[in-house]
Amino acid sequence: AAFDFLLRMKDAGVIGASAAWQVSSADKILDMGAQRFDGRVLVDVTACEVASGDEKYVLIVQGSTSATFASGVWNLAALPLGDSSVSLETVDTAATRHQEIAFTNEVNGTLYRYIRGYTQVVGTVATGINFTANLVQKA
C-alpha cells in the first residue's frame, strides 16, 4: 500500500527498551482532527532479536486526548512480536512486512484525537527490534 511520508510514525532505528516511536529522533504524535479516524499502520521489520528465547516486543498504536500524551492515553491496537515462546505465535519473528495494525481512534464514545506508536520491550534484550511504521487511512 502507498503511504504519505508525512504520516511516517517511526523511521529506522533499533529499539532495545520500551519507548514511544520517533521520526528524526523526536517523538512522533499525529493529530487526527476532531473526528473518528479508521486507519492501518504498515510495519516493516528489518531486524528482530530472539537469541535469548524470551524477547517480546509489543507494537502499540496509542490514542490520547492530550496533544502531549500527558493524560487520557488509551491503547487502540497492538501487535505482539518476538520469540515464539512469549509472542503467542508458532514461529519467531523474522524480518518482513507484518500484518497491518488496524485501529480506530474512537473507543466507547471517546475520541482520541492524538495518536502515536509505542513499543513495549520485555525479556533479555541485547539489541532489540528495528522497524519502520507508516500510517494509512483504512480503505
Side-chain angles (χ1 to χ4, degrees):
F3 59 87
D4 181 339
F5 272 95
L6 295 175
L7 298 179
R8 174 151 276 189
M9 295 181 72
K10 183 190 175 302
D11 54 15
V14 175
I15 294 180
S18 297
W21 296 354
Q22 295 188 332
V23 174
S24 299
S25 300
D27 289 357
K28 182 70 174 200
I29 297 173
L30 297 171
D31 182 349
M32 306 320 303
Q35 72 279 327
R36 178 184 172 116
F37 178 85
D38 297 312
R40 297 175 292 143
V41 176
L42 309 179
V43 177
D44 288 304
V45 177
T46 56
C48 184
E49 178 202 346
V50 293
S52 301
D54 67 352
E55 300 92 340
K56 183 175 183 178
Y57 312 95
V58 183
L59 311 187
I60 306 167
V61 178
Q62 294 183 316
S64 180
T65 54
S66 162
T68 62
F69 275 74
S71 61
V73 178
W74 189 263
N75 293 335
L76 302 171
L79 176 63
L81 301 173
D83 190 272
S84 61
S85 66
V86 291
S87 70
L88 306 178
E89 296 180 311
T90 57
V91 296
D92 294 345
T93 298
T96 185
R97 172 166 284 177
H98 285 271
Q99 67 189 44
E100 299 160 356
I101 306 171
F103 73 96
T104 182
N105 68 336
E106 184 179 356
V107 178
N108 197 27
T110 299
L111 184 72
Y112 296 92
R113 177 175 179 153
Y114 305 96
I115 64 166
R116 73 175 181 187
Y118 190 90
T119 303
Q120 179 189 40
V121 178
V122 180
T124 308
V125 175
T127 55
I129 188 169
N130 194 342
F131 64 95
T132 59
N134 300 286
L135 176 66
V136 295
Q137 190 161 7
K138 189 174 178 182

